[in-house]
Amino acid sequence: MMNSNADLSVLRLDQLASHAPAMVIDVAWPDDEQGRHLALRLSEIGFVPGQTVRIVTTGMPGREPLAVRLGRSTFALRKREAALVHVALEGAALVRAARENADLLHSTPKGAAPAGITRKAPAHV
């Protein structure tokens, strides 16, 4: 994942506080086939760079599943699914930097992961 702005605070969706508005930065592209299928599915349903997202509510116990509002739609995600989505808290500077990063992710070389999907999850988020 590329951060061109030092103040861009990126975290995993499963780490986002309830009701905190955020913007999707990218979706991790795991090494295993099942993980790649899940990442592709998340991208296909709308978890793409620049999309507004927030956790509406969580289940009990263990804060699972997560009810996630994506644009005008609401999805139920397990923590392991939400952990693949990287987000930035919304704010004017953060949004601008995230959009710049999203533009960089849209140019995909042949054989690379689809736009908005990184090959591996970052070591430390």
Side-chain angles (χ1 to χ4, degrees), residues 45-115:
I45 63 173
F47 287 91
V48 295
Q51 186 65 258
T52 301
V53 66
R54 67 183 169 94
I55 295 175
V56 180
T57 191
T58 60
M60 295 299 259
R63 197 173 183 244
E64 192 169 29
L66 306 171
V68 178
R69 186 80 159 155
L70 180 72
R72 293 189 203 172
S73 301
T74 304
F75 298 95
L77 298 179
R78 296 284 176 198
K79 282 183 174 180
R80 65 181 173 80
E81 297 166 332
L84 294 176
V85 181
H86 300 120
V87 299
L89 295 175
E90 286 203 333
L94 295 177
V95 170
R96 182 174 55 254
R99 286 188 178 138
E100 289 171 6
N101 285 336
D103 290 341
L104 291 173
L105 291 171
H106 285 294
S107 59
T108 306
K110 187 175 182 178

